[in-house]
Amino acid sequence: MKLDTHVHTSPGSRCSQMSVDSYLEVLRELEVTVACVTNHGDMGDYDEIVSRAPAGISFIPGVEISSTEGDFLVYSTDLDYLRSLEAAQPLPDRNSRPDETAVIWAHPFAGASGGLSMGEEYLSSVALRVDGIEVYNGNWPDAEASRLARRIADTYGLAELGGSDTHRLESLYRCWTEIPDIDEPAGLIRAIRDRTTKAILPTPSL
């Protein structure tokens, strides 16, 4: 199944221009059955979306956190844990996370913390603390960045994901993650841990 694993809505993410209403409407039109919400350290939009979602659509809760080591998507079945995370904070240690939690390194070579010249020691220190990595990100369509992200996935046994990182309705599914059919949040976490995810970028391909 096709899952956009990196989505920002408004007002949960102040940088987003995609309202909860418009997100729900496009999901209805596309007949989506499972969708993600990954705002910046905020679960308010997720709560509203779940309360208003039509029957037949399940939502996977997540947050994006920013740290000096980069940006990370955190998915968990433990909503209290997700609510405890802040938009800017250190990458949580593996031992401090609930069991059914997965952490994805988002756009590792983009932004202030990124860069294609990052050393192997730094890459290793982060890769060993995450479960997956974004090979494709809709806001950073760079072929070299994607090649390096895939190498990190192969080297450190990480799941490969693709997410639009959308802040606007028209940007949904610019790239996505292909996974076995799921109907609840734990399914995505299992797929990440089992490395049964596949990052997809529509043509033209990187």
Side-chain angles (χ1 to χ4, degrees), residues 22 32 46 50 53 74 77 81 96 106 115 127 129 131-132 135 151 178:
S22 60
V32 170
Y46 169 80
V50 168
V74 183
T77 59
Y81 174 68
S96 69
R129 288 180 286 155
D131 306 291
V135 170
R151 181 185 70 78
E178 193 77 27

Side-chain angles (χ1 to χ4, degrees), residues 54-205:
I57 303 181
S58 299
F59 288 90
I60 295 173
V63 298
E64 181 173 1
I65 61 173
S66 297
S67 76
T68 57
E69 297 175 288
D71 295 342
F72 303 92
L73 302 172
V74 183
Y75 308 102
S76 182
T77 59
D78 189 329
L79 296 184
D80 289 335
Y81 174 68
L82 291 177
R83 295 186 209 284
S84 75
L85 300 176
E86 300 180 2
Q89 68 157 75
L91 172 61
D93 183 83
R94 282 191 182 277
N95 294 330
S96 69
R97 305 173 197 164
D99 288 340
E100 289 193 326
T101 300
V103 177
I104 306 303
W105 195 356
H107 44 69
F109 300 103
S113 300
L116 298 178
S117 61
M118 289 189 294
E120 194 64 32
E121 183 178 353
Y122 170 79
L123 295 174
S124 175
S125 71
V126 178
L128 291 172
R129 288 180 286 155
V130 300
D131 306 291
I133 189 169
E134 276 189 342
V135 170
Y136 297 130
N137 178 280
N139 286 333
W140 305 93
D142 183 282
E144 181 64 6
S146 293
R147 184 189 69 79
L148 288 173
R150 182 163 278 125
R151 181 185 70 78
I152 292 169
D154 290 341
T155 301
Y156 297 97
L158 303 179
E160 299 181 8
L161 284 83
S164 67
D165 194 4
T166 188
H167 296 70
R168 295 179 176 84
L169 192 63
E170 62 271 18
S171 302
L172 274 168
Y173 295 101
R174 282 184 294 195
C175 49
W176 62 83
T177 301
E178 193 77 27
I179 64 172
D181 287 350
I182 62 171
D183 58 9
E184 37 83 33
L188 173 60
I189 295 164
R190 285 194 300 271
I192 290 169
R193 290 180 175 176
D194 293 342
R195 293 192 67 191
T196 55
T197 61
K198 183 179 181 180
I200 302 293
L201 180 73
T203 50
S205 178

Side-chain angles (χ1 to χ4, degrees), residues 27-48:
L27 293 178
R28 290 189 194 97
E29 292 173 358
L30 295 175
E31 298 182 342
V32 170
T33 57
V34 182
C36 288
V37 184
T38 54
N39 285 317
H40 295 280
D42 183 277
M43 290 287 288
D45 281 9
Y46 169 80
D47 293 334
E48 182 177 356

